[in-house]
Amino acid sequence: MFEKGKSYTREEIHAAVGGNKHSYLPRYKGRVVAACLRPDLNPDAPEVILCNSCPPERAAGEQLADQDGAIPVFLKDGAGSWKYQGQFRVADSETHPDACAPHAARSAWTRGQIKRVLRMERQS
């Protein structure tokens, strides 16, 4: 479906997996189908995804934490360009503020905006 290290547009990602073209965790038919992450907001991506407090994104983070299987993960690579990092699945999910705080401190998010930290595991 995607080639590791190759860049794609959100339109191409959407055409392949569905979901909202503007969400960083697009969902389709009740599942998170990809992660499209900005490095300034997710400095440890693709191994760590930070989920914010916005209700739709908070719900998507909860959905991803609870679902089985791997999703394609992309990092923003320039204007309209998203580089494919591989298939990842959730290995661990933390919601305690003390677990979120160190990640928020290194990102463009504030401490109060981060509500979940997802630790991701690469799938072969």
Side-chain angles (χ1 to χ4, degrees):
M1 180 183 318
F2 299 107
E3 185 179 326
K4 190 172 176 191
K6 185 177 176 186
S7 292
Y8 298 87
T9 66
R10 286 302 297 263
E11 188 62 42
E12 291 169 322
I13 296 166
H14 170 75
V17 298
N20 183 323
K21 292 183 237 179
H22 304 288
S23 172
Y24 69 95
L25 295 174
R27 293 186 283 176
Y28 182 69
K29 294 186 177 182
R31 294 186 56 82
V32 174
V33 293
C36 298
L37 309 169
R38 290 178 26 195
D40 62 323
L41 298 176
N42 290 277
D44 297 317
E47 289 81 13
V48 175
I49 297 175
L50 304 179
C51 301
N52 70 14
S53 58
C54 174
E57 304 303 347
R58 191 173 186 171
E62 184 177 334
Q63 174 68 48
L64 181 56
D66 291 340
Q67 79 183 32
D68 292 327
I71 61 167
V73 176
F74 301 84
L75 293 181
K76 188 157 181 81
D77 187 36
S81 180
W82 300 84
K83 188 177 281 187
Y84 178 57
Q85 304 297 304
Q87 294 286 124
F88 288 80
R89 72 169 197 74
V90 176
D92 185 45
S93 174
E94 284 280 345
T95 57
H96 193 281
D98 290 344
C100 298
H103 295 283
R106 294 191 355 269
S107 78
W109 296 113
T110 65
R111 179 182 176 133
Q113 288 176 303
I114 300 300
K115 298 300 180 189
R116 181 180 299 273
V117 174
L118 297 171
R119 287 178 191 79
M120 305 297 286
E121 181 177 84
R122 186 181 301 273
Q123 302 296 286
S124 47

